[in-house]
Amino acid sequence: MKIGKYEINTVATGTLGLDGGAMFGVIPKVLWQKTNPADEKNRITLGMRCLLLQSDSKKILIDTGVGDHWDSKFSKIYRMDKSESELTRSLNKLGVKHEEITDVILTHMHFDHTGGATKFENDKMVPTFPNAAYYIQKDHFNWAKNPSDRDKASFFPERFVPLAEEGILKLIDGNEHFDDYIQFIVTNGHTFAHQMIKVSDSSNTLLYCGDLMPTASHVPLPYIMGYDLQPLVTLEEKKKYLSEAVEENWKIIFEHDPYITTATITKTDKGFVVNERYKDLV
Ligand SMILES: [Zn+2]
């Protein structure tokens, strides 16, 4: 699809298995397993869907998936599977090489979003996209370098600190505009200073909502991840942005939904629900 000067494509980067209970917080399994069936270790399948925006002068990648060079134990725990799709293969399908990426926008530094930002080369981690500037919220970067005991298993500073050391990490401060069509929108419920990416012109708006709502199953208000540091903040953020999505007919892109790429939202007497859903970006 096209918004403003940008041609927009999704970039599939494989799947993960994460504990269904942790993914749905206080929601009982009898409810969430209807849409997201669990395996024998209670893991549900999650996609890692990045976004590529191309104009005459820019090739912008939003998030990078889990990346490579994880040891086999870690890969097994998270059931990493790249048999169907992988970052480089998906970019190549779109005719894009690593060197051509001009900008990489990261929603946050959790390993399943940032792992592909760097690669292992000559005994060290180096940027996967050598000619790109990378963007993250300043407050999130500071948190990610020194997280709490509760969330430190989600961060691997050795994979993103090299971006800062290379001098290519740009620190964003709040809801800044990248250009006339792209805006960073900060949320603080999932982790501190996570950012969503809003892409809009006069007729269409896409919201790449990162981990505010990882899947379409997370649209109803109480469906909030157990991982979230501030679930009641997530609740208020969902109300705010789902209301705007209904009023202005936004399309929401779900980064982790293995089945649904994008959806519009409606509000019924049961609250916010998915209206039209699409398997592909249209
Ligand atoms: Zn996350």
Side-chain angles (χ1 to χ4, degrees):
M1 80 179 290
K2 191 148 189 181
I3 293 185
K5 64 181 180 180
Y6 290 110
E7 184 62 39
I8 305 176
N9 291 98
T10 56
V11 179
T13 70
T15 62
L16 283 182
L18 286 184
D19 184 83
M23 283 303 296
F24 287 101
V26 298
I27 305 301
K29 183 174 183 180
V30 288
L31 296 180
W32 58 251
Q33 72 177 359
K34 292 179 193 167
T35 50
N36 299 80
D39 69 9
E40 73 288 353
K41 291 186 172 161
N42 209 43
R43 295 170 298 192
I44 62 168
T45 300
L46 296 170
M48 291 175 286
R49 180 178 290 109
C50 305
L51 215 56
L52 181 72
L53 286 69
Q54 300 185 76
S55 70
D56 290 343
S57 58
K58 293 259 176 203
K59 293 189 192 303
I60 304 167
L61 180 66
I62 303 179
D63 273 352
T64 61
V66 75
D68 299 314
H69 310 293
W70 300 100
D71 67 41
S72 62
K73 184 180 169 196
F74 192 81
S75 305
K76 247 183 170 171
I77 288 171
Y78 291 103
R79 214 186 64 201
M80 291 179 188
D81 183 356
K82 293 183 183 146
S83 57
E84 295 285 317
S85 63
E86 183 268 334
L87 176 62
T88 301
R89 294 207 308 270
S90 293
L91 286 174
N92 288 347
K93 268 190 200 164
L94 294 165
V96 175
K97 299 189 187 82
H98 288 176
E99 297 73 31
E100 294 177 291
I101 297 289
T102 56
D103 305 88
V104 178
I105 298 173
L106 300 168
T107 56
H108 61 308
M109 294 303 202
H110 284 166
F111 70 87
D112 51 329
H113 299 252
T114 310
T118 51
K119 60 178 180 177
F120 194 65
E121 202 174 81
N122 299 329
D123 291 335
K124 60 175 189 165
M125 298 307 291
V126 299
T128 306
F129 304 98
N131 299 316
Y134 288 65
Y135 303 82
I136 190 78
Q137 287 286 326
K138 175 172 60 109
D139 290 347
H140 183 69
F141 183 58
N142 290 333
W143 177 263
K145 282 187 294 183
N146 191 21
S148 73
D149 288 333
R150 183 170 186 269
D151 63 337
K152 70 181 179 191
S154 300
F155 292 108
F156 291 81
E158 66 273 23
R159 288 183 169 248
F160 57 78
V161 169
L163 301 172
E165 289 169 350
E166 290 278 334
I168 56 173
L169 188 66
K170 313 277 183 207
L171 300 177
I172 309 298
D173 194 6
N175 292 357
E176 292 183 18
H177 289 264
F178 179 84
D179 64 12
D180 290 346
Y181 305 103
I182 300 172
Q183 187 186 6
F184 307 109
I185 298 179
V186 175
T187 63
N188 287 291
H190 177 59
T191 178
F192 297 105
H194 162 280
Q195 61 185 354
M196 307 190 291
I197 314 301
K198 184 179 167 190
V199 188
S200 57
D201 61 14
S202 52
S203 42
N204 287 299
T205 297
L206 269 188
L207 182 71
Y208 185 86
C209 69
D211 274 349
L212 179 73
M213 293 175 286
T215 76
S217 304
H218 290 83
V219 166
L221 290 176
Y223 284 64
I224 291 172
M225 285 190 277
Y227 295 113
D228 284 17
L229 296 181
Q230 305 191 92
L232 294 180
V233 174
T234 302
L235 180 66
E236 294 308 312
E237 290 166 345
K238 285 177 69 176
K239 281 184 198 168
K240 175 175 165 55
Y241 292 107
L242 285 168
S243 298
E244 287 188 45
V246 172
E247 274 162 34
E248 299 179 11
N249 201 33
W250 294 358
K251 280 186 179 151
I252 308 286
I253 295 186
F254 302 105
E255 186 163 1
H256 286 304
D257 197 306
Y259 320 110
I260 300 171
T261 294
T262 183
T264 56
I265 308 297
T266 188
K267 195 172 183 188
T268 68
D269 51 1
K270 288 182 181 156
F272 294 105
V273 293
V274 165
N275 184 20
E276 293 168 306
R277 68 195 68 201
Y278 305 92
K279 203 171 172 301
D280 298 305
L281 206 54
V282 284

PDB file of all heavy atoms in Angstrom, residues 18 20 23 31 51 79 87 102 105-106 111 122 127-128 147 152 159 175 183 189 215 220 236 247-249 257 264:
ATOM      1  N   LEU A  18       6.062 -18.163  22.565  1.00  0.00           N
ATOM      2  CA  LEU A  18       6.150 -17.577  23.904  1.00  0.00           C
ATOM      3  C   LEU A  18       5.004 -18.100  24.755  1.00  0.00           C
ATOM      4  O   LEU A  18       3.917 -18.406  24.241  1.00  0.00           O
ATOM      5  CB  LEU A  18       6.064 -16.050  23.842  1.00  0.00           C
ATOM      6  CG  LEU A  18       7.285 -15.290  23.328  1.00  0.00           C
ATOM      7  CD1 LEU A  18       7.039 -13.789  23.432  1.00  0.00           C
ATOM      8  CD2 LEU A  18       8.540 -15.655  24.097  1.00  0.00           C
ATOM      9  N   GLY A  20       1.839 -18.710  26.582  1.00  0.00           N
ATOM     10  CA  GLY A  20       0.532 -18.091  26.364  1.00  0.00           C
ATOM     11  C   GLY A  20       0.040 -17.345  27.591  1.00  0.00           C
ATOM     12  O   GLY A  20      -0.593 -16.287  27.481  1.00  0.00           O
ATOM     13  N   MET A  23       1.649 -14.075  27.729  1.00  0.00           N
ATOM     14  CA  MET A  23       1.195 -13.210  26.626  1.00  0.00           C
ATOM     15  C   MET A  23      -0.180 -12.598  26.892  1.00  0.00           C
ATOM     16  O   MET A  23      -0.532 -11.583  26.310  1.00  0.00           O
ATOM     17  CB  MET A  23       1.147 -14.003  25.314  1.00  0.00           C
ATOM     18  CG  MET A  23       2.497 -14.240  24.666  1.00  0.00           C
ATOM     19  SD  MET A  23       3.427 -12.727  24.301  1.00  0.00           S
ATOM     20  CE  MET A  23       2.381 -11.917  23.089  1.00  0.00           C
ATOM     21  N   LEU A  31     -10.124 -18.913  27.441  1.00  0.00           N
ATOM     22  CA  LEU A  31     -10.511 -17.866  26.490  1.00  0.00           C
ATOM     23  C   LEU A  31      -9.459 -17.664  25.404  1.00  0.00           C
ATOM     24  O   LEU A  31      -9.769 -17.679  24.222  1.00  0.00           O
ATOM     25  CB  LEU A  31     -10.772 -16.547  27.232  1.00  0.00           C
ATOM     26  CG  LEU A  31     -11.948 -16.568  28.210  1.00  0.00           C
ATOM     27  CD1 LEU A  31     -12.110 -15.206  28.882  1.00  0.00           C
ATOM     28  CD2 LEU A  31     -13.246 -16.947  27.483  1.00  0.00           C
ATOM     29  N   LEU A  51       8.323  -3.759   9.062  1.00  0.00           N
ATOM     30  CA  LEU A  51       7.721  -2.935   8.016  1.00  0.00           C
ATOM     31  C   LEU A  51       8.823  -2.263   7.210  1.00  0.00           C
ATOM     32  O   LEU A  51       9.833  -1.826   7.782  1.00  0.00           O
ATOM     33  CB  LEU A  51       6.851  -1.870   8.696  1.00  0.00           C
ATOM     34  CG  LEU A  51       5.561  -1.439   8.006  1.00  0.00           C
ATOM     35  CD1 LEU A  51       4.661  -2.628   7.729  1.00  0.00           C
ATOM     36  CD2 LEU A  51       4.830  -0.413   8.871  1.00  0.00           C
ATOM     37  N   ARG A  79      11.492 -21.408  20.745  1.00  0.00           N
ATOM     38  CA  ARG A  79      10.993 -22.085  19.540  1.00  0.00           C
ATOM     39  C   ARG A  79      11.169 -21.218  18.285  1.00  0.00           C
ATOM     40  O   ARG A  79      10.257 -21.025  17.504  1.00  0.00           O
ATOM     41  CB  ARG A  79       9.524 -22.481  19.716  1.00  0.00           C
ATOM     42  CG  ARG A  79       9.147 -23.788  19.023  1.00  0.00           C
ATOM     43  CD  ARG A  79       7.658 -24.073  19.103  1.00  0.00           C
ATOM     44  NE  ARG A  79       6.864 -23.091  18.404  1.00  0.00           N
ATOM     45  CZ  ARG A  79       5.562 -22.861  18.627  1.00  0.00           C
ATOM     46  NH1 ARG A  79       4.911 -23.548  19.538  1.00  0.00           N
ATOM     47  NH2 ARG A  79       4.911 -21.953  17.937  1.00  0.00           N
ATOM     48  N   LEU A  87      14.616 -12.351   7.963  1.00  0.00           N
ATOM     49  CA  LEU A  87      14.787 -10.928   7.623  1.00  0.00           C
ATOM     50  C   LEU A  87      15.450 -10.703   6.264  1.00  0.00           C
ATOM     51  O   LEU A  87      14.896 -10.032   5.389  1.00  0.00           O
ATOM     52  CB  LEU A  87      15.588 -10.245   8.743  1.00  0.00           C
ATOM     53  CG  LEU A  87      15.957  -8.782   8.551  1.00  0.00           C
ATOM     54  CD1 LEU A  87      14.709  -7.906   8.437  1.00  0.00           C
ATOM     55  CD2 LEU A  87      16.816  -8.280   9.732  1.00  0.00           C
ATOM     56  N   THR A 102      18.337   2.956   4.626  1.00  0.00           N
ATOM     57  CA  THR A 102      18.827   4.280   5.062  1.00  0.00           C
ATOM     58  C   THR A 102      18.535   4.544   6.533  1.00  0.00           C
ATOM     59  O   THR A 102      19.258   5.302   7.188  1.00  0.00           O
ATOM     60  CB  THR A 102      18.171   5.400   4.230  1.00  0.00           C
ATOM     61  OG1 THR A 102      16.734   5.273   4.327  1.00  0.00           O
ATOM     62  CG2 THR A 102      18.599   5.313   2.770  1.00  0.00           C
ATOM     63  N   ILE A 105      14.115   2.097  12.341  1.00  0.00           N
ATOM     64  CA  ILE A 105      13.393   2.609  13.512  1.00  0.00           C
ATOM     65  C   ILE A 105      13.070   1.423  14.412  1.00  0.00           C
ATOM     66  O   ILE A 105      12.480   0.432  13.951  1.00  0.00           O
ATOM     67  CB  ILE A 105      12.105   3.331  13.082  1.00  0.00           C
ATOM     68  CG1 ILE A 105      12.444   4.549  12.213  1.00  0.00           C
ATOM     69  CG2 ILE A 105      11.297   3.745  14.310  1.00  0.00           C
ATOM     70  CD1 ILE A 105      11.229   5.230  11.587  1.00  0.00           C
ATOM     71  N   LEU A 106      13.471   1.500  15.669  1.00  0.00           N
ATOM     72  CA  LEU A 106      13.226   0.414  16.621  1.00  0.00           C
ATOM     73  C   LEU A 106      12.139   0.842  17.602  1.00  0.00           C
ATOM     74  O   LEU A 106      12.220   1.929  18.187  1.00  0.00           O
ATOM     75  CB  LEU A 106      14.518   0.079  17.375  1.00  0.00           C
ATOM     76  CG  LEU A 106      15.681  -0.379  16.480  1.00  0.00           C
ATOM     77  CD1 LEU A 106      16.990  -0.401  17.266  1.00  0.00           C
ATOM     78  CD2 LEU A 106      15.393  -1.755  15.877  1.00  0.00           C
ATOM     79  N   PHE A 111      14.572  -8.294  22.764  1.00  0.00           N
ATOM     80  CA  PHE A 111      15.403  -9.012  21.787  1.00  0.00           C
ATOM     81  C   PHE A 111      14.647  -9.445  20.542  1.00  0.00           C
ATOM     82  O   PHE A 111      15.248  -9.615  19.477  1.00  0.00           O
ATOM     83  CB  PHE A 111      16.098 -10.214  22.444  1.00  0.00           C
ATOM     84  CG  PHE A 111      15.177 -11.349  22.813  1.00  0.00           C
ATOM     85  CD1 PHE A 111      14.853 -12.342  21.898  1.00  0.00           C
ATOM     86  CD2 PHE A 111      14.637 -11.428  24.089  1.00  0.00           C
ATOM     87  CE1 PHE A 111      14.006 -13.399  22.243  1.00  0.00           C
ATOM     88  CE2 PHE A 111      13.786 -12.477  24.443  1.00  0.00           C
ATOM     89  CZ  PHE A 111      13.471 -13.454  23.515  1.00  0.00           C
ATOM     90  N   ASN A 122      33.539 -11.043  12.482  1.00  0.00           N
ATOM     91  CA  ASN A 122      34.914 -10.880  12.995  1.00  0.00           C
ATOM     92  C   ASN A 122      34.951 -10.761  14.517  1.00  0.00           C
ATOM     93  O   ASN A 122      35.540  -9.825  15.071  1.00  0.00           O
ATOM     94  CB  ASN A 122      35.589  -9.662  12.364  1.00  0.00           C
ATOM     95  CG  ASN A 122      35.686  -9.792  10.855  1.00  0.00           C
ATOM     96  OD1 ASN A 122      35.798 -10.900  10.336  1.00  0.00           O
ATOM     97  ND2 ASN A 122      35.606  -8.676  10.159  1.00  0.00           N
ATOM     98  N   PRO A 127      26.648  -3.377  13.129  1.00  0.00           N
ATOM     99  CA  PRO A 127      25.322  -3.085  12.567  1.00  0.00           C
ATOM    100  C   PRO A 127      25.031  -3.939  11.338  1.00  0.00           C
ATOM    101  O   PRO A 127      25.887  -4.081  10.456  1.00  0.00           O
ATOM    102  CB  PRO A 127      25.430  -1.595  12.186  1.00  0.00           C
ATOM    103  CG  PRO A 127      26.536  -1.052  13.031  1.00  0.00           C
ATOM    104  CD  PRO A 127      27.502  -2.191  13.218  1.00  0.00           C
ATOM    105  N   THR A 128      23.840  -4.518  11.280  1.00  0.00           N
ATOM    106  CA  THR A 128      23.433  -5.317  10.114  1.00  0.00           C
ATOM    107  C   THR A 128      23.271  -4.434   8.881  1.00  0.00           C
ATOM    108  O   THR A 128      23.512  -4.877   7.763  1.00  0.00           O
ATOM    109  CB  THR A 128      22.082  -6.013  10.417  1.00  0.00           C
ATOM    110  OG1 THR A 128      22.214  -6.747  11.626  1.00  0.00           O
ATOM    111  CG2 THR A 128      21.663  -6.948   9.297  1.00  0.00           C
ATOM    112  N   PRO A 147      18.136  -2.518  32.894  1.00  0.00           N
ATOM    113  CA  PRO A 147      16.746  -2.829  33.258  1.00  0.00           C
ATOM    114  C   PRO A 147      16.634  -3.415  34.662  1.00  0.00           C
ATOM    115  O   PRO A 147      17.643  -3.599  35.342  1.00  0.00           O
ATOM    116  CB  PRO A 147      16.342  -3.858  32.196  1.00  0.00           C
ATOM    117  CG  PRO A 147      17.620  -4.498  31.779  1.00  0.00           C
ATOM    118  CD  PRO A 147      18.703  -3.483  31.950  1.00  0.00           C
ATOM    119  N   LYS A 152      14.980  -7.976  32.871  1.00  0.00           N
ATOM    120  CA  LYS A 152      16.299  -7.998  32.229  1.00  0.00           C
ATOM    121  C   LYS A 152      16.501  -9.190  31.293  1.00  0.00           C
ATOM    122  O   LYS A 152      17.363  -9.134  30.410  1.00  0.00           O
ATOM    123  CB  LYS A 152      17.425  -7.909  33.270  1.00  0.00           C
ATOM    124  CG  LYS A 152      17.606  -9.120  34.142  1.00  0.00           C
ATOM    125  CD  LYS A 152      18.745  -8.858  35.133  1.00  0.00           C
ATOM    126  CE  LYS A 152      18.950 -10.040  36.038  1.00  0.00           C
ATOM    127  NZ  LYS A 152      19.857  -9.726  37.155  1.00  0.00           N
ATOM    128  N   ARG A 159      23.916  -6.532  22.065  1.00  0.00           N
ATOM    129  CA  ARG A 159      23.381  -6.503  20.699  1.00  0.00           C
ATOM    130  C   ARG A 159      22.936  -5.115  20.259  1.00  0.00           C
ATOM    131  O   ARG A 159      22.653  -4.911  19.089  1.00  0.00           O
ATOM    132  CB  ARG A 159      22.207  -7.466  20.577  1.00  0.00           C
ATOM    133  CG  ARG A 159      22.701  -8.896  20.617  1.00  0.00           C
ATOM    134  CD  ARG A 159      21.563  -9.861  20.417  1.00  0.00           C
ATOM    135  NE  ARG A 159      22.131 -11.175  20.207  1.00  0.00           N
ATOM    136  CZ  ARG A 159      22.080 -11.844  19.059  1.00  0.00           C
ATOM    137  NH1 ARG A 159      21.449 -11.350  18.026  1.00  0.00           N
ATOM    138  NH2 ARG A 159      22.648 -13.015  18.954  1.00  0.00           N
ATOM    139  N   ASN A 175       7.180  12.470  21.210  1.00  0.00           N
ATOM    140  CA  ASN A 175       6.389  12.208  19.997  1.00  0.00           C
ATOM    141  C   ASN A 175       6.883  13.062  18.825  1.00  0.00           C
ATOM    142  O   ASN A 175       6.153  13.874  18.285  1.00  0.00           O
ATOM    143  CB  ASN A 175       4.912  12.480  20.258  1.00  0.00           C
ATOM    144  CG  ASN A 175       4.307  11.480  21.222  1.00  0.00           C
ATOM    145  OD1 ASN A 175       4.978  10.544  21.666  1.00  0.00           O
ATOM    146  ND2 ASN A 175       3.057  11.665  21.557  1.00  0.00           N
ATOM    147  N   GLN A 183       5.466   9.565  12.268  1.00  0.00           N
ATOM    148  CA  GLN A 183       5.603  10.127  13.622  1.00  0.00           C
ATOM    149  C   GLN A 183       5.885   9.025  14.637  1.00  0.00           C
ATOM    150  O   GLN A 183       5.337   7.920  14.535  1.00  0.00           O
ATOM    151  CB  GLN A 183       4.309  10.862  14.025  1.00  0.00           C
ATOM    152  CG  GLN A 183       4.466  11.604  15.351  1.00  0.00           C
ATOM    153  CD  GLN A 183       3.174  12.222  15.868  1.00  0.00           C
ATOM    154  OE1 GLN A 183       2.102  12.011  15.296  1.00  0.00           O
ATOM    155  NE2 GLN A 183       3.276  12.957  16.953  1.00  0.00           N
ATOM    156  N   GLY A 189       3.440   1.665  28.972  1.00  0.00           N
ATOM    157  CA  GLY A 189       2.888   0.536  29.710  1.00  0.00           C
ATOM    158  C   GLY A 189       3.697  -0.742  29.538  1.00  0.00           C
ATOM    159  O   GLY A 189       4.012  -1.426  30.501  1.00  0.00           O
ATOM    160  N   THR A 215      -0.869  -8.757  19.150  1.00  0.00           N
ATOM    161  CA  THR A 215      -1.691  -9.509  18.188  1.00  0.00           C
ATOM    162  C   THR A 215      -3.101  -8.911  18.158  1.00  0.00           C
ATOM    163  O   THR A 215      -3.483  -8.140  19.056  1.00  0.00           O
ATOM    164  CB  THR A 215      -1.812 -11.004  18.569  1.00  0.00           C
ATOM    165  OG1 THR A 215      -2.738 -11.122  19.672  1.00  0.00           O
ATOM    166  CG2 THR A 215      -0.481 -11.616  18.970  1.00  0.00           C
ATOM    167  N   PRO A 220      -9.226  -6.303  22.655  1.00  0.00           N
ATOM    168  CA  PRO A 220     -10.116  -6.051  23.798  1.00  0.00           C
ATOM    169  C   PRO A 220      -9.324  -5.549  25.017  1.00  0.00           C
ATOM    170  O   PRO A 220      -8.225  -6.047  25.299  1.00  0.00           O
ATOM    171  CB  PRO A 220     -10.748  -7.429  24.061  1.00  0.00           C
ATOM    172  CG  PRO A 220     -10.654  -8.143  22.745  1.00  0.00           C
ATOM    173  CD  PRO A 220      -9.357  -7.684  22.141  1.00  0.00           C
ATOM    174  N   GLU A 236      -4.822   2.421  29.757  1.00  0.00           N
ATOM    175  CA  GLU A 236      -5.177   3.791  29.357  1.00  0.00           C
ATOM    176  C   GLU A 236      -4.673   4.103  27.945  1.00  0.00           C
ATOM    177  O   GLU A 236      -5.346   4.771  27.171  1.00  0.00           O
ATOM    178  CB  GLU A 236      -4.611   4.810  30.365  1.00  0.00           C
ATOM    179  CG  GLU A 236      -5.243   4.709  31.749  1.00  0.00           C
ATOM    180  CD  GLU A 236      -6.776   4.755  31.701  1.00  0.00           C
ATOM    181  OE1 GLU A 236      -7.327   5.644  31.033  1.00  0.00           O
ATOM    182  OE2 GLU A 236      -7.406   3.868  32.330  1.00  0.00           O
ATOM    183  N   GLU A 247     -12.291   6.458  15.465  1.00  0.00           N
ATOM    184  CA  GLU A 247     -12.757   7.756  14.939  1.00  0.00           C
ATOM    185  C   GLU A 247     -12.189   8.054  13.559  1.00  0.00           C
ATOM    186  O   GLU A 247     -12.871   8.585  12.692  1.00  0.00           O
ATOM    187  CB  GLU A 247     -12.333   8.884  15.879  1.00  0.00           C
ATOM    188  CG  GLU A 247     -13.302   9.126  17.018  1.00  0.00           C
ATOM    189  CD  GLU A 247     -12.654   9.924  18.142  1.00  0.00           C
ATOM    190  OE1 GLU A 247     -11.809  10.790  17.844  1.00  0.00           O
ATOM    191  OE2 GLU A 247     -12.994   9.664  19.313  1.00  0.00           O
ATOM    192  N   GLU A 248     -10.922   7.726  13.364  1.00  0.00           N
ATOM    193  CA  GLU A 248     -10.252   8.128  12.121  1.00  0.00           C
ATOM    194  C   GLU A 248      -9.995   6.960  11.167  1.00  0.00           C
ATOM    195  O   GLU A 248      -9.280   7.103  10.178  1.00  0.00           O
ATOM    196  CB  GLU A 248      -8.936   8.846  12.468  1.00  0.00           C
ATOM    197  CG  GLU A 248      -9.182  10.103  13.285  1.00  0.00           C
ATOM    198  CD  GLU A 248      -7.892  10.825  13.668  1.00  0.00           C
ATOM    199  OE1 GLU A 248      -6.822  10.480  13.133  1.00  0.00           O
ATOM    200  OE2 GLU A 248      -7.972  11.718  14.516  1.00  0.00           O
ATOM    201  N   ASN A 249     -10.605   5.806  11.500  1.00  0.00           N
ATOM    202  CA  ASN A 249     -10.522   4.621  10.626  1.00  0.00           C
ATOM    203  C   ASN A 249      -9.075   4.214  10.300  1.00  0.00           C
ATOM    204  O   ASN A 249      -8.738   3.932   9.154  1.00  0.00           O
ATOM    205  CB  ASN A 249     -11.321   4.859   9.343  1.00  0.00           C
ATOM    206  CG  ASN A 249     -11.700   3.546   8.669  1.00  0.00           C
ATOM    207  OD1 ASN A 249     -11.939   2.548   9.357  1.00  0.00           O
ATOM    208  ND2 ASN A 249     -11.713   3.525   7.353  1.00  0.00           N
ATOM    209  N   ASP A 257       1.210 -10.928  15.377  1.00  0.00           N
ATOM    210  CA  ASP A 257       0.097 -11.825  15.045  1.00  0.00           C
ATOM    211  C   ASP A 257       0.489 -12.733  13.882  1.00  0.00           C
ATOM    212  O   ASP A 257       0.817 -12.245  12.807  1.00  0.00           O
ATOM    213  CB  ASP A 257      -1.157 -11.015  14.693  1.00  0.00           C
ATOM    214  CG  ASP A 257      -2.396 -11.886  14.755  1.00  0.00           C
ATOM    215  OD1 ASP A 257      -2.420 -12.948  14.080  1.00  0.00           O
ATOM    216  OD2 ASP A 257      -3.327 -11.549  15.500  1.00  0.00           O
ATOM    217  N   THR A 264      -8.954  -2.925  11.009  1.00  0.00           N
ATOM    218  CA  THR A 264      -9.594  -1.715  11.518  1.00  0.00           C
ATOM    219  C   THR A 264     -10.337  -2.102  12.796  1.00  0.00           C
ATOM    220  O   THR A 264     -10.544  -3.286  13.073  1.00  0.00           O
ATOM    221  CB  THR A 264     -10.578  -1.119  10.487  1.00  0.00           C
ATOM    222  OG1 THR A 264     -11.527  -2.129  10.138  1.00  0.00           O
ATOM    223  CG2 THR A 264      -9.833  -0.646   9.244  1.00  0.00           C
TER     224      THR A 264
END
